[in-house]
Each structure stands twice: as structure tokens, then as C-alpha cells.
Amino acid sequence: MLKKTLLLTSLIWLALQVHVADACTNFLITKGATVDGSTMITYAADSHTLYGEMYFWPAADHKPGDMVDVTEWDTGKFLGKIPQVAHTYQVTGNMNEHQLSIGETTFGGRQELHHQPGAIVDYGSLIYLTLQRAKTAREAIKVMTDLVAEYGYASEGESFSIADPNEVWILEMIGKGEAEKGAVWVARRIPDGYISGHANQARITTFPLNDPDNCLYSSDVISFAREKGWFDGKNKDFSFSGTYAPVDFGGARFCDARVWAGFRKVASNMDQYQDYAMGKITHGANGYATNRMPLWVKPDTLLTVKDVMGMMRDHFEGTALDMTKDPGAGPFKLPYRWRPLTWQVDSTTYVNERAISTQQTGFSFIAQMRSKYPDPIGGIMWFGVDDTYSTCYMPVYCGIQKVPEPIRVGNGDMLTWSNTSAFWVFNTVSNLAYLRYDYMIKDIQKVQNELETKFVDFTPAVDEAAMDLWNKGEHDMARKFLTEYSDKQVNLTVNRWTQLEHYLIIKYKDGNIMKEKDGKFERNESGKLPVMPAQPGYPEWWYRNVAKQTGDHLKEK
């Protein structure tokens, strides 16, 4: 009976993957895995309707009896009100003033647990309410789980990345469905020196039952599954993911494959999981998958923030899933596939790959938390908008007093153009690049690397200047300095990207490639006209394919 139940759940989960796999990618980096001893989490908020902007809540005091509106993040739907706390912390993006940071990915899980009548708190509200109420990762876990226990959980299964300057945790939870309020959950601390990741597939399998320093869980996480008839083994053999969100072809190919791709950039032993990433799952006697990737891996070398940025940029290059290699990439090796995620030919279903870098990203970030500095200086949100592969991560310190205009909430939206909006400027450049990708992406990466390298190289000097003010007791002045610095870098980046947009239009208009010399477009002897542009046409394989499919139609007579 249990095997039949697991099989049915697996089939339901595969059907749900087309919806769920539109979502997000996270990596979690511990102190012992980084060059400078910082912790980091990454987040790509991927959605076809999410606008790229940075949220901001200033710290505030509240009166007894004050209430806070809870609005569903995905839809804007009002869910209800809950009591406000006496004091809320400043939140800049997904990091608060204490350097606590939270990201997420939706794994869906058992369909019968998706809906909870009367539930008020959805996963997005849970993140931002918690950032306003908690100082540390452990405290955040308590706040989050207490909120859903009291007010219900209004979302599908979710994986959360939760980190402060010292600890990094993954929390996975799923609601209890229509019959019972609240959620079941497990949280695990990533061992120091290791990294983890999740991407729309639950990742926690078995877990220690008596190690509260490193593992926390709801008291009924196993008994609830027993009551439902989903588990009948020994407690030590219970798998959270195997029971509440079994992995199958879609969970591996569309979701865990992204974790695998990020891991393999920094850990050399990941090729052994390529078959799993391609969706080939083996199962044991209890119905659980037996060939899954580990929850965490040790990188070959200590990581820098630029290494972690690199983990967020991937189209499976150099693997069996390389999106630049199959005919869908077209003549210019475009590593993107327009949705839907699956498609049919002659009643046979095929898939597009779902990579870390995808066209529908609203915003992404690398949250960097550093314990050696005071919180306003120690926390940096490396923030980007649109596709991670062609974005530029801009430094925004968590101690700023206001958000830079190009990423401010309200500066444009998904249906309203704004010339000063970072999202629209970056979106224009990436959509230009989709037309002749293998050429244009090199020009984009040149500017991207130039700016990001400068930002990273300048960080120690900025830290030192802020610390000099801080140590003199001029804390407000230090925050003002960081606000002005962050503002200048964001505006500089958007201005540079606008110039890049113009450059790309000039260089690649009408299928030509204008020639350059010494960093400038080349003109003829008179200086009034450009030299004849290059016209590289299409690759030889493309011409052969066109000739084969058109027969005599295009032959020169």
C-alpha cells in the first residue's frame, strides 16, 4: 500500500513540475568555505510576473494593539492581519540590519497539503515578517515556525535558506492541508566548511533526531506522516523529502540539476551525479530514491564572492545538458528556451532544460554576511536584476538609509516602463543579446566583469572608511557614507548598462557587425562613414540544414 501511495505521489509531483520549475535557485555558503570567513546565501527570484526591485522597510516602533496586513507575495492578494510586534528591524532587500538573510525556493510537494483554509501567512510574507522580527538564523527558524503554527501556512512546500554572520541553515516545510492548521518542518545547519543548495526540490532526506545544535524539527513531522499512511518504518529511516516531496524525473532534471550544476563549478567530484541530474532515479525497497546528491558538499578551494556569483551563472555548459549544443540553440548558440517547459511532437512529450540562468528572473542576489564588522558595515547585498548570466551584481550595504532610485520599489513595474529603472535597462540589453547571443554575450561579459571586479576590489577601502567613522562614534555618518556609496555604484552601473545598450544596437544592427579598432568603431579614410561591416552569416551546419529541408526551392538556377 505504501509503495502504491508513493508511486501516485510521484506521478502527481511530475505533473506539477511544469508549474513549480518556473521558480528559484539558492546556494548556501558557510564561513569555513569562504576566503574571508563570510557566510553567503544566493537567491534567484524567477517568475514571469515578478518585477526586479529592492524591498525596504525602515526600523520602527509600534503601539500595543497595532496590526500588520499580510499580503500574498505571488499575487498581491490580501490574506489577513496579525498583531504587530513592539519593534521591527530595518530590512534591505532580503537582509535585515543584523545581517540576517533569507531566501527560498518552492518545491510543491504532496498536492493534498497545498491548501489550508483560513491560513494567513504565505511563504513570501513569512520571509519579510521574519526579517523584521529576528536577529539570528536560529531565532528566524523559531519565528517562522511559530507564525505558521499560530496563523496557518498559505503556501505549498518550501525550502528556505537562512543565514546570519555565523551560521547557515536550510529549513524545509510543508502545510498540513485542509484538516489541520500549521506545517511540518525540518531545519538543518550546514556544517562549517561546506556548501549546500536547493532549487524547487525538497533536499532534506533523513536527519538526526537528537542533535538540537545542528537539527531542529516539528514534533509531529514523522507522526503526521504515519497518521496519513505515508510512512510505516522506523523513525531513524524517515526521509522528509522522500515522504512529503518524492524526487522523480522532473524533480531531478528540472530542479536538482541546477544544484548539481552550481556544485560542479566548485567541487570536482560531482560528475558522478550526472545521470541523476538527467532524471535517472533509482529507488530502494521503501520507495525512497537511492542515488540522490548529498545535501551539502565541500568545495575544492575556499570561495570568494566572485566565485559565488559564478555559481549563479550557468546553462549547463560542458555537460550532457549543455543548452548551447542542441538545435534549439539556433545558429547563435542561444542557451534559452521560451516556455512552456515541456512540449509535444506526435504525442511524445519532450522537455526544455531548466538552468540556473533563465530569462524570467526578476531579481537575484548574493547576500554576504561578515562577523568581523559591525552589522551595518558587515552585510552586503550584491544585488542584480533580470537574467543572472547577463546581470551585474551591485554592492548595497545593509546599513543604508534609503534604496537607490534605479532599484527603488515603485520605479516602474512589470507593465510600466521607466527609463531610470535598472530592471528595464538590463532587460533591454538581455533581450538584445538573445538575437545574436554568441557574439553579444562577450561584449556584455566584458562590462560585467569590469564593474564587478572594481566593486569587489573597492570593498576593503569602503569598509575601512566606514569603520573609521564608526570607531569615532559617528555611526549615522558611517551609514550615510554607505548609503551614498551604494547609491553611486547602482547609478553608475545603470548608466553604464544604458551605454552598453546603445553600443550593442550600433554594433549589431541589421545583422551586420560593425568593425572596431583601439576600442572605437572604425571609420573609412574620410572619417565620415564606417568601414564595411563584417557579415559572418550563419554557421555551416545551419546552412546545410536549411539546404536539406528546402530541397531545390532555394537553389540558384
Side-chain angles (χ1 to χ4, degrees), residues 25-112:
T25 305
N26 285 199
F27 292 105
L28 304 86
I29 320 295
T30 60
K31 292 183 71 169
T34 62
V35 168
D36 63 355
S38 61
T39 61
M40 290 183 258
I41 62 170
T42 76
Y43 179 38
D46 302 336
S47 166
H48 295 276
T49 59
L50 179 66
Y51 189 64
E53 56 193 352
M54 176 174 276
Y55 311 131
F56 183 80
W57 291 269
D61 294 317
H62 306 280
K63 299 176 183 177
D66 282 355
M67 304 292 284
V68 58
D69 290 348
V70 180
T71 303
E72 188 173 43
W73 189 41
D74 285 338
T75 66
K77 175 184 175 183
F78 174 73
L79 296 177
K81 294 176 179 285
I82 66 172
Q84 185 58 281
V85 295
H87 180 78
T88 51
Y89 305 125
Q90 176 175 308
V91 177
T92 305
N94 283 54
M95 183 187 295
N96 74 11
E97 63 182 89
H98 300 290
Q99 300 190 67
L100 171 67
S101 299
I102 306 177
E104 59 78 28
T105 72
T106 302
F107 63 75
R110 288 182 174 271
Q111 190 175 30
E112 58 266 57

XYZ file of all heavy atoms in Angstrom, residues 25-112:
684
model
N 16.426 29.483 -7.471
C 17.638 28.732 -7.167
C 18.374 29.407 -6.019
O 18.543 30.628 -6.020
C 18.571 28.663 -8.397
O 17.857 28.130 -9.514
C 19.785 27.794 -8.103
N 18.821 28.602 -5.036
C 19.584 29.108 -3.878
C 20.849 28.286 -3.679
O 20.835 27.066 -3.871
C 18.790 28.967 -2.573
C 17.669 29.980 -2.393
O 17.209 30.186 -1.283
N 17.209 30.592 -3.463
N 21.930 28.958 -3.254
C 23.111 28.282 -2.726
C 23.424 28.857 -1.348
O 23.159 30.033 -1.071
C 24.306 28.429 -3.667
C 24.127 27.683 -4.956
C 23.838 28.357 -6.129
C 24.214 26.302 -4.977
C 23.634 27.667 -7.312
C 24.018 25.592 -6.160
C 23.725 26.276 -7.333
N 23.976 28.008 -0.485
C 24.259 28.382 0.898
C 25.731 28.113 1.179
O 26.212 26.983 0.988
C 23.390 27.571 1.868
C 21.868 27.624 1.674
C 21.416 26.585 0.653
C 21.149 27.351 2.993
N 26.465 29.117 1.637
C 27.917 29.037 1.803
C 28.287 29.349 3.254
O 27.943 30.416 3.766
C 28.638 30.050 0.873
C 27.976 30.129 -0.512
C 30.108 29.715 0.782
C 28.050 28.873 -1.332
N 28.987 28.447 3.914
C 29.353 28.640 5.318
C 30.659 29.419 5.464
O 31.420 29.579 4.504
C 29.494 27.288 6.024
O 30.526 26.531 5.367
C 28.193 26.498 5.988
N 30.937 29.881 6.680
C 32.144 30.666 6.957
C 33.411 29.920 6.568
O 34.333 30.486 5.975
C 32.225 30.996 8.455
C 31.183 31.946 8.970
C 31.379 32.272 10.449
C 32.590 33.152 10.670
N 32.655 33.687 12.049
N 33.460 28.626 6.935
C 34.660 27.847 6.674
C 34.885 27.503 5.222
O 35.907 26.914 4.873
N 33.932 27.890 4.356
C 34.068 27.617 2.923
C 34.448 28.866 2.136
O 34.545 28.814 0.912
C 32.759 27.038 2.380
N 34.681 30.001 2.828
C 34.986 31.243 2.124
C 36.371 31.770 2.479
O 36.904 31.507 3.558
C 33.945 32.335 2.457
O 33.993 32.631 3.860
C 32.549 31.871 2.101
N 36.937 32.521 1.574
C 38.269 33.087 1.747
C 38.318 34.050 2.927
O 39.283 34.061 3.708
C 38.710 33.798 0.449
C 39.962 34.641 0.690
C 38.958 32.786 -0.663
N 37.280 34.866 3.078
C 37.305 35.924 4.094
C 36.496 35.589 5.343
O 36.301 36.447 6.195
C 36.812 37.245 3.489
C 35.363 37.170 3.023
O 34.768 36.071 3.078
O 34.820 38.213 2.607
N 35.994 34.355 5.448
C 35.244 33.974 6.633
C 33.826 34.510 6.679
O 33.183 34.501 7.736
N 33.327 34.977 5.536
C 31.942 35.450 5.494
C 31.009 34.271 5.219
O 31.423 33.240 4.687
C 31.765 36.514 4.409
O 32.061 35.985 3.124
N 29.759 34.415 5.617
C 28.720 33.486 5.174
C 28.010 34.123 3.985
O 27.975 35.358 3.857
C 27.698 33.190 6.285
O 27.053 34.415 6.661
C 28.373 32.573 7.505
N 27.442 33.294 3.131
C 26.717 33.813 1.975
C 25.531 32.912 1.654
O 25.599 31.697 1.843
C 27.622 33.899 0.740
C 28.692 34.978 0.801
S 29.660 35.077 -0.736
C 31.165 34.207 -0.244
N 24.450 33.523 1.185
C 23.390 32.780 0.520
C 23.066 33.493 -0.788
O 23.243 34.716 -0.900
C 22.113 32.629 1.373
C 21.481 33.993 1.688
C 22.382 31.835 2.633
C 20.094 33.881 2.325
N 22.633 32.737 -1.771
C 22.238 33.318 -3.046
C 20.760 33.050 -3.277
O 20.188 32.124 -2.709
C 23.040 32.719 -4.212
O 22.543 31.393 -4.500
C 24.515 32.642 -3.897
N 20.179 33.849 -4.139
C 18.754 33.705 -4.440
C 18.487 34.287 -5.813
O 18.832 35.444 -6.081
C 17.940 34.446 -3.385
C 16.432 34.416 -3.551
C 15.769 33.287 -4.004
C 15.665 35.538 -3.217
C 14.386 33.267 -4.111
C 14.279 35.523 -3.317
C 13.646 34.386 -3.769
O 12.272 34.367 -3.874
N 17.896 33.492 -6.697
C 17.371 33.996 -7.961
C 15.859 33.892 -7.883
O 15.306 32.794 -7.826
C 17.904 33.182 -9.139
N 15.177 35.034 -7.834
C 13.717 35.071 -7.760
C 13.187 35.030 -9.192
O 13.112 36.061 -9.862
C 13.251 36.315 -7.027
N 12.849 33.838 -9.644
C 12.466 33.617 -11.041
C 10.950 33.543 -11.169
O 10.306 32.685 -10.565
C 13.074 32.313 -11.557
C 14.591 32.298 -11.458
O 15.187 33.382 -11.427
O 15.169 31.192 -11.414
N 10.411 34.429 -11.973
C 8.967 34.457 -12.195
C 8.692 35.284 -13.441
O 9.361 36.295 -13.681
C 8.242 35.066 -10.996
O 6.909 35.384 -11.314
N 7.708 34.865 -14.209
C 7.359 35.609 -15.414
C 6.576 36.879 -15.105
O 6.311 37.670 -16.019
C 6.554 34.711 -16.355
C 7.335 33.543 -16.868
N 8.174 33.635 -17.960
C 7.428 32.267 -16.430
C 8.741 32.450 -18.176
N 8.308 31.613 -17.256
N 6.218 37.089 -13.838
C 5.448 38.283 -13.476
C 6.094 39.095 -12.363
O 5.495 40.056 -11.879
C 4.018 37.896 -13.040
O 4.083 36.994 -11.919
C 3.265 37.218 -14.185
N 7.304 38.734 -11.942
C 7.964 39.428 -10.831
C 8.884 40.530 -11.348
O 9.773 40.286 -12.161
C 8.769 38.442 -9.983
C 9.521 39.048 -8.792
C 8.533 39.580 -7.754
C 10.456 38.020 -8.162
N 8.697 41.724 -10.853
C 9.496 42.879 -11.230
C 10.755 42.944 -10.364
O 10.715 42.680 -9.157
C 8.672 44.147 -11.031
C 9.273 45.411 -11.571
C 9.496 45.585 -12.933
C 9.597 46.471 -10.722
C 10.029 46.769 -13.436
C 10.117 47.655 -11.210
C 10.342 47.791 -12.571
O 10.865 48.966 -13.064
N 11.867 43.316 -10.965
C 13.133 43.380 -10.247
C 13.299 44.702 -9.514
O 13.541 45.752 -10.136
N 13.172 44.666 -8.193
C 13.311 45.861 -7.360
C 13.750 45.418 -5.972
O 13.631 44.246 -5.614
C 11.988 46.628 -7.296
C 10.834 45.787 -6.800
C 9.470 46.420 -7.024
O 9.409 47.589 -7.444
O 8.446 45.737 -6.782
N 14.262 46.351 -5.185
C 14.750 46.027 -3.845
C 13.766 46.543 -2.798
O 13.514 47.742 -2.704
C 16.135 46.637 -3.607
C 16.662 46.407 -2.188
S 18.372 46.962 -1.942
C 19.278 45.528 -2.539
N 13.248 45.629 -1.993
C 12.313 45.999 -0.935
C 13.057 46.684 0.221
O 14.237 46.433 0.446
C 11.572 44.767 -0.431
C 10.988 43.910 -1.535
C 11.191 42.533 -1.552
C 10.266 44.481 -2.579
C 10.668 41.751 -2.569
C 9.740 43.707 -3.599
C 9.949 42.337 -3.597
O 9.440 41.565 -4.605
N 12.327 47.521 0.942
C 12.960 48.249 2.049
C 11.913 48.583 3.108
O 10.860 49.137 2.807
C 13.597 49.539 1.531
C 14.342 50.324 2.581
C 15.624 49.951 2.960
C 13.771 51.437 3.189
C 16.320 50.675 3.928
C 14.453 52.169 4.154
C 15.737 51.783 4.524
N 12.208 48.204 4.343
C 11.402 48.592 5.491
C 12.328 49.219 6.528
O 13.268 48.568 7.002
C 10.710 47.384 6.137
C 9.629 46.767 5.314
C 8.296 47.081 5.345
C 9.764 45.709 4.358
N 7.594 46.283 4.466
C 8.472 45.440 3.848
C 10.848 44.970 3.877
C 8.243 44.454 2.891
C 10.626 44.001 2.916
C 9.330 43.758 2.433
N 12.120 50.466 6.914
C 12.946 51.049 7.976
C 12.573 50.446 9.326
O 11.466 49.918 9.510
C 12.580 52.536 7.919
C 11.205 52.575 7.320
C 11.136 51.415 6.373
N 13.490 50.506 10.269
C 13.184 50.067 11.630
C 12.065 50.954 12.184
O 11.960 52.131 11.844
C 14.429 50.156 12.505
N 11.228 50.360 13.047
C 10.089 51.129 13.555
C 9.630 50.581 14.902
O 9.801 49.394 15.203
C 8.935 51.094 12.554
N 9.051 51.454 15.716
C 8.395 51.071 16.966
C 6.887 51.083 16.751
O 6.358 51.908 15.988
C 8.765 52.039 18.089
C 10.242 51.966 18.456
O 10.770 50.831 18.544
O 10.862 53.024 18.626
N 6.197 50.175 17.439
C 4.761 50.034 17.235
C 4.035 50.017 18.577
O 4.589 49.604 19.609
C 4.470 48.743 16.467
C 5.241 48.640 15.189
N 4.864 49.275 14.037
C 6.403 47.989 14.891
C 5.740 49.025 13.076
N 6.693 48.238 13.575
N 2.783 50.457 18.555
C 1.975 50.543 19.762
C 1.270 49.214 20.033
O 0.985 48.451 19.108
C 0.943 51.647 19.603
C 1.534 53.033 19.397
C 0.435 54.046 19.146
C 1.019 55.428 18.874
N -0.046 56.427 18.564
N 0.952 48.935 21.301
C 0.152 47.745 21.618
C -1.166 47.779 20.849
O -1.817 48.826 20.751
C -0.082 47.870 23.126
C 1.059 48.697 23.618
C 1.347 49.678 22.520
N -1.514 46.659 20.273
C -2.750 46.585 19.509
C -2.587 46.864 18.026
O -3.516 46.652 17.232
N -1.411 47.351 17.616
C -1.173 47.564 16.183
C -1.212 46.232 15.446
O -0.743 45.203 15.958
C 0.182 48.235 15.951
C 0.159 49.727 16.224
O -0.941 50.250 16.504
O 1.234 50.357 16.178
N -1.746 46.262 14.228
C -1.834 45.068 13.396
C -1.030 45.298 12.118
O -0.770 46.440 11.709
C -3.287 44.758 13.047
C -4.207 44.594 14.255
S -3.834 43.122 15.237
C -4.542 41.839 14.172
N -0.625 44.220 11.478
C 0.095 44.306 10.215
C -0.661 43.510 9.160
O -1.120 42.392 9.411
C 1.549 43.794 10.360
C 1.609 42.362 10.863
C 2.309 43.922 9.045
N -0.839 44.104 7.990
C -1.501 43.418 6.875
C -0.582 42.345 6.317
O 0.630 42.564 6.158
C -1.853 44.397 5.762
C -2.966 45.354 6.159
O -3.623 45.106 7.201
O -3.182 46.344 5.429
N -1.144 41.196 5.989
C -0.394 40.122 5.345
C -0.926 39.963 3.925
O -2.112 39.685 3.724
C -0.530 38.797 6.117
C 0.258 37.703 5.413
C -0.046 38.966 7.548
N -0.048 40.171 2.960
C -0.413 40.113 1.545
C 0.389 39.027 0.860
O 1.611 38.955 1.025
C -0.131 41.462 0.857
O -0.845 42.494 1.557
C -0.586 41.441 -0.594
N -0.284 38.181 0.107
C 0.406 37.087 -0.581
C 1.405 37.649 -1.584
O 1.047 38.457 -2.452
C -0.612 36.186 -1.291
C 0.002 34.928 -1.863
C -1.054 33.975 -2.401
O -1.992 34.452 -3.067
O -0.924 32.760 -2.162
N 2.667 37.216 -1.455
C 3.737 37.797 -2.275
C 3.536 37.509 -3.755
O 3.748 38.378 -4.609
C 5.094 37.249 -1.799
C 6.268 37.933 -2.430
C 6.407 39.256 -2.679
C 7.467 37.319 -2.896
N 7.632 39.522 -3.251
C 8.307 38.342 -3.406
C 7.935 36.013 -2.917
C 9.561 38.085 -3.934
C 9.207 35.761 -3.445
C 10.003 36.787 -3.947
N 3.113 36.315 -4.106
C 2.998 35.938 -5.514
C 1.889 36.676 -6.245
O 1.972 36.894 -7.455
C 2.751 34.430 -5.639
C 4.006 33.618 -5.368
O 5.111 34.164 -5.499
O 3.877 32.427 -5.029
N 0.814 37.037 -5.543
C -0.374 37.557 -6.223
C -0.792 38.951 -5.785
O -1.571 39.605 -6.484
C -1.571 36.615 -5.977
O -1.914 36.645 -4.576
C -1.240 35.187 -6.388
N -0.321 39.418 -4.619
C -0.792 40.688 -4.084
C -2.123 40.577 -3.360
O -2.693 41.583 -2.917
N -2.629 39.367 -3.209
C -3.921 39.139 -2.555
C -3.802 39.363 -1.044
O -2.878 38.878 -0.402
C -4.388 37.707 -2.833
C -5.657 37.297 -2.106
C -5.961 35.833 -2.374
C -7.160 35.357 -1.560
N -7.417 33.905 -1.778
N -4.764 40.098 -0.479
C -4.800 40.324 0.968
C -5.239 39.034 1.660
O -6.281 38.453 1.336
C -5.771 41.465 1.299
C -5.976 41.679 2.772
C -4.979 42.254 3.542
C -7.165 41.304 3.391
C -5.164 42.464 4.908
C -7.359 41.505 4.746
C -6.351 42.088 5.508
N -4.435 38.591 2.641
C -4.732 37.340 3.337
C -5.320 37.559 4.725
O -6.041 36.700 5.235
C -3.460 36.490 3.455
C -2.846 35.991 2.148
C -1.544 35.229 2.433
C -3.815 35.111 1.382
N -4.982 38.674 5.361
C -5.494 38.927 6.703
C -4.572 39.838 7.479
O -3.640 40.439 6.935
N -4.806 39.940 8.771
C -3.993 40.769 9.652
C -3.491 39.929 10.822
O -4.178 39.008 11.273
C -4.820 41.935 10.210
C -5.283 42.961 9.184
C -6.167 44.001 9.858
C -6.630 45.074 8.878
N -5.546 46.025 8.548
N -2.292 40.254 11.298
C -1.766 39.627 12.506
C -1.223 40.730 13.412
O -0.887 41.827 12.936
C -0.662 38.591 12.203
C 0.585 39.265 11.614
C -1.167 37.506 11.266
C 1.770 38.321 11.483
N -1.106 40.484 14.714
C -0.581 41.511 15.613
C 0.857 41.896 15.275
O 1.680 41.039 14.928
C -0.660 40.834 16.988
C -1.718 39.791 16.846
C -1.593 39.294 15.441
N 1.130 43.185 15.360
C 2.482 43.681 15.137
C 3.300 43.515 16.426
O 2.740 43.466 17.521
C 2.431 45.155 14.722
C 3.743 45.788 14.352
C 4.465 45.087 13.224
O 5.097 44.037 13.452
N 4.378 45.649 12.029
N 4.601 43.409 16.289
C 5.486 43.345 17.448
C 5.892 44.763 17.842
O 5.720 45.716 17.072
C 6.732 42.479 17.160
C 6.330 41.036 16.938
C 7.500 43.025 15.953
N 6.448 44.908 19.042
C 6.760 46.242 19.570
C 7.797 46.973 18.728
O 7.718 48.196 18.550
C 7.238 46.130 21.013
N 8.779 46.229 18.195
C 9.840 46.859 17.399
C 10.171 45.965 16.207
O 10.297 44.745 16.344
C 11.103 47.081 18.228
C 12.221 47.725 17.460
N 12.256 49.072 17.187
C 13.334 47.196 16.887
C 13.341 49.358 16.495
N 14.020 48.234 16.297
N 10.272 46.577 15.042
C 10.675 45.844 13.843
C 11.998 46.383 13.337
O 12.280 47.582 13.435
C 9.614 45.947 12.735
O 9.266 47.320 12.520
C 8.366 45.161 13.105
N 12.825 45.499 12.790
C 14.166 45.852 12.323
C 14.127 46.353 10.882
O 13.231 46.014 10.104
C 15.085 44.640 12.426
C 15.135 44.023 13.800
C 14.847 42.677 13.995
C 15.455 44.800 14.920
C 14.880 42.106 15.257
C 15.493 44.246 16.187
C 15.200 42.887 16.349
O 15.218 42.335 17.602
N 15.143 47.119 10.529
C 15.265 47.544 9.127
C 15.549 46.336 8.253
O 16.346 45.472 8.598
C 16.390 48.567 8.974
C 16.624 48.983 7.516
C 17.656 50.072 7.360
O 17.567 51.108 8.020
N 18.646 49.845 6.498
N 14.898 46.318 7.088
C 15.118 45.258 6.107
C 15.489 45.908 4.778
O 14.761 46.770 4.269
C 13.872 44.374 5.936
C 14.103 43.318 4.854
C 13.498 43.717 7.264
N 16.621 45.503 4.225
C 17.092 45.989 2.929
C 17.158 44.797 1.994
O 18.020 43.933 2.137
C 18.478 46.644 3.056
O 18.422 47.682 4.048
C 18.933 47.218 1.721
N 16.231 44.717 1.057
C 16.154 43.529 0.213
C 15.773 42.333 1.063
O 14.740 42.326 1.733
N 16.611 41.322 1.078
C 16.360 40.119 1.881
C 17.358 39.988 3.031
O 17.639 38.887 3.491
C 16.415 38.872 0.995
C 15.149 38.697 0.174
O 14.737 39.603 -0.538
N 14.525 37.542 0.273
N 17.891 41.120 3.487
C 18.803 41.136 4.629
C 18.345 42.220 5.604
O 17.970 43.314 5.182
C 20.238 41.415 4.182
C 21.267 41.384 5.317
S 22.939 41.916 4.805
C 23.391 40.630 3.644
N 18.385 41.901 6.892
C 17.996 42.929 7.857
C 19.225 43.591 8.492
O 20.369 43.271 8.146
C 17.016 42.379 8.901
C 17.664 41.473 9.947
O 18.889 41.371 10.059
N 16.836 40.811 10.739
N 18.974 44.507 9.403
C 20.056 45.300 9.977
C 21.018 44.489 10.829
O 22.096 44.968 11.178
C 19.474 46.434 10.815
C 18.667 45.979 12.014
C 18.070 47.141 12.780
O 16.948 47.563 12.453
O 18.740 47.622 13.722
N 20.663 43.253 11.177
C 21.537 42.370 11.953
C 22.256 41.356 11.058
O 22.826 40.396 11.564
C 20.727 41.653 13.028
C 20.069 42.580 14.007
N 20.779 43.304 14.938
C 18.764 42.934 14.164
C 19.953 44.043 15.640
N 18.723 43.843 15.196
N 22.209 41.585 9.769
C 22.831 40.727 8.762
C 22.139 39.357 8.650
O 22.719 38.417 8.113
C 24.328 40.511 9.027
C 25.164 41.771 9.038
C 26.641 41.453 9.068
O 27.213 40.908 8.118
N 27.306 41.781 10.180
N 20.945 39.233 9.134
C 20.153 38.026 8.909
C 19.598 38.081 7.494
O 19.019 39.092 7.095
C 19.008 37.947 9.924
C 17.973 36.841 9.684
C 18.577 35.459 9.881
C 16.759 37.036 10.600
N 19.772 36.984 6.750
C 19.309 36.931 5.368
C 18.503 35.665 5.127
O 18.808 34.607 5.696
C 20.497 36.960 4.402
O 21.238 38.147 4.553
N 17.486 35.772 4.278
C 16.621 34.635 3.977
C 16.302 34.611 2.482
O 15.975 35.641 1.879
C 15.298 34.696 4.776
C 15.559 34.835 6.272
C 14.442 33.454 4.505
C 14.300 34.977 7.116
N 16.393 33.406 1.872
C 15.954 33.170 0.506
C 15.044 31.959 0.481
O 14.796 31.327 1.508
N 14.557 31.583 -0.700
C 13.615 30.460 -0.763
C 13.572 29.840 -2.151
O 13.963 30.464 -3.141
C 12.206 30.916 -0.385
C 11.624 32.023 -1.259
C 11.105 31.580 -2.603
O 10.683 30.405 -2.724
O 11.129 32.375 -3.550
N 13.073 28.605 -2.210
C 12.581 28.010 -3.448
C 11.366 27.152 -3.106
O 11.293 26.552 -2.039
C 13.623 27.126 -4.174
O 13.810 25.894 -3.446
C 14.951 27.827 -4.329
N 10.397 27.113 -4.007
C 9.172 26.346 -3.794
C 9.340 24.936 -4.342
O 9.700 24.766 -5.503
C 7.987 27.031 -4.492
O 7.839 28.349 -3.989
C 6.692 26.257 -4.277
N 9.072 23.913 -3.508
C 9.164 22.543 -4.017
C 7.800 21.891 -4.208
O 7.705 20.787 -4.748
C 10.065 21.670 -3.129
C 9.607 21.456 -1.711
C 8.555 20.601 -1.415
C 10.262 22.094 -0.660
C 8.158 20.388 -0.109
C 9.866 21.879 0.662
C 8.804 21.024 0.935
N 6.748 22.533 -3.780
C 5.417 21.994 -4.026
C 5.072 20.863 -3.083
O 4.403 21.037 -2.079
N 5.527 19.665 -3.395
C 5.261 18.510 -2.547
C 3.872 17.951 -2.744
O 3.211 18.195 -3.754
N 3.413 17.180 -1.783
C 2.130 16.487 -1.895
C 0.989 17.474 -2.152
O 0.777 18.409 -1.384
C 1.846 15.687 -0.620
C 2.716 14.451 -0.482
C 2.347 13.670 0.769
N 3.076 12.410 0.822
C 2.648 11.270 0.289
N 1.488 11.233 -0.328
N 3.375 10.173 0.390
N 0.235 17.202 -3.200
C -0.810 18.119 -3.625
C -1.885 18.293 -2.559
O -2.437 19.389 -2.391
C -1.447 17.619 -4.928
C -2.384 18.615 -5.576
C -2.892 18.115 -6.903
O -3.030 16.906 -7.115
N -3.181 19.020 -7.818
N -2.178 17.242 -1.800
C -3.237 17.330 -0.808
C -2.875 18.232 0.370
O -3.720 18.539 1.217
C -3.617 15.938 -0.294
C -2.470 15.152 0.316
C -1.783 14.232 -0.672
O -1.316 14.741 -1.708
O -1.714 13.013 -0.414
